[in-house]
Amino acid sequence: MRIALTKGRLEKDTVALFEKIGYDCTNLKEKGRKLILEIPGANMEVVLAKAADVITYVEHGVCDLGVVGKDTIMENGTSFYEMMDLGFGRCKFALATKRGTDFYAGYNTKCIATKYPKVARTYFESKNMDVDVVKIEGSVELAPLLGLADGIVDIVETGTTLKENGLEVTEFISDISARVIVNIASLKLRKGEIEGLLDKIAEAKEEKA
């Protein structure tokens, strides 16, 4: 069974969860530059990847399961099962604007800068609003400051970066956390193994709580 983990914080939190289950995670902690790692005695391989690639690998069936943030699922995901909320990696999607401005004032079409164009469009469609969406790869906070956009849709944890750049949250859009996703075919072919792992994860989460 092969599981793809999002590199970075979600990877560390998932490894901690696996250790709680009782898996030997030595290879994962001493990985060096390796990207495919075995968990001894568990019939499991772990693949380390960027968030969007975790979804790609699971959708195409080269990985049976994946651990990825809900933000990536909302932006990129379609063809898989979302099985479980792991409860870590918590943050929120939010609409933020320059402090003291009324985003909804006036009749002009608003411009939104974001790394998540699908999330932004879906949100404003739900409000029956037409917006122009500009995709930004780097610091989206710059866009309103430079006059490129009326607001941004981005992930917010503490809100410190927004405050330091003269922005504030106008509305929260959605809660985000790490999720377990499963390949559609794998859930049929390896049902017992996958459900067994999900049961172990659920038990470990209960103990943590």
Side-chain angles (χ1 to χ4, degrees):
M1 191 162 59
R2 198 179 276 156
I3 180 164
L5 301 188
T6 303
K7 286 184 194 173
R9 197 176 70 178
L10 296 192
E11 172 198 338
K12 285 176 188 161
D13 287 341
T14 309
V15 169
L17 188 63
F18 283 173
E19 283 190 310
K20 200 159 191 226
I21 289 168
Y23 291 142
D24 178 355
C25 293
T26 309
N27 290 343
L28 292 168
K29 291 175 136 183
E30 299 169 6
K31 60 184 183 281
R33 293 179 176 275
K34 286 184 181 172
L35 299 172
I36 301 178
L37 305 140
E38 188 186 351
I39 296 180
N43 191 31
M44 275 173 64
E45 260 186 353
V46 169
V47 176
L48 301 178
K50 285 191 171 182
D53 294 339
V54 168
I55 285 183
T56 302
Y57 296 146
V58 171
E59 283 187 332
H60 285 78
V62 294
C63 290
D64 302 295
L65 303 92
V67 173
V68 70
K70 181 68 175 177
D71 53 314
T72 311
I73 291 171
M74 289 169 72
E75 184 64 27
N76 301 294
T78 48
S79 310
F80 50 78
Y81 295 120
E82 185 183 324
M83 302 295 288
M84 185 182 286
D85 182 347
L86 291 174
F88 52 73
R90 291 195 179 281
C91 44
K92 293 175 187 284
F93 266 128
L95 167 67
T97 55
K98 279 170 84 171
R99 196 177 295 122
T101 58
D102 181 356
F103 177 78
Y104 293 105
Y107 296 99
N108 59 314
T109 302
K110 304 299 181 187
C111 181
I112 298 294
T114 184
K115 294 175 189 170
Y116 301 90
K118 183 181 171 187
V119 171
R121 282 196 191 95
T122 303
Y123 176 65
F124 286 105
E125 277 169 13
S126 75
K127 294 166 102 42
N128 294 315
M129 269 184 78
D130 255 346
V131 293
D132 291 329
V133 177
V134 177
K135 189 165 195 285
I136 300 284
E137 295 293 345
S139 303
V140 288
E141 296 86 5
L142 274 171
L145 305 178
L146 296 172
L148 174 66
D150 299 290
I152 64 171
V153 167
D154 202 18
I155 292 171
V156 176
E157 286 183 68
T158 61
T160 305
T161 308
L162 293 177
K163 282 176 193 160
E164 287 179 357
N165 287 285
L167 305 178
E168 62 186 1
V169 171
T170 304
E171 289 169 2
F172 286 111
I173 295 171
S174 174
D175 289 316
I176 298 167
S177 57
R179 309 295 166 103
V180 177
I181 60 173
V182 177
N183 174 267
I184 292 168
S186 294
L187 194 56
K188 292 175 188 165
L189 298 170
R190 313 189 81 136
K191 196 172 193 301
E193 283 176 87
I194 288 169
E195 288 182 348
L197 174 60
L198 293 176
D199 287 345
K200 287 176 185 172
I201 290 171
E203 281 172 32
K205 275 178 65 198
E206 288 289 316
E207 284 171 34
K208 204 172 182 180

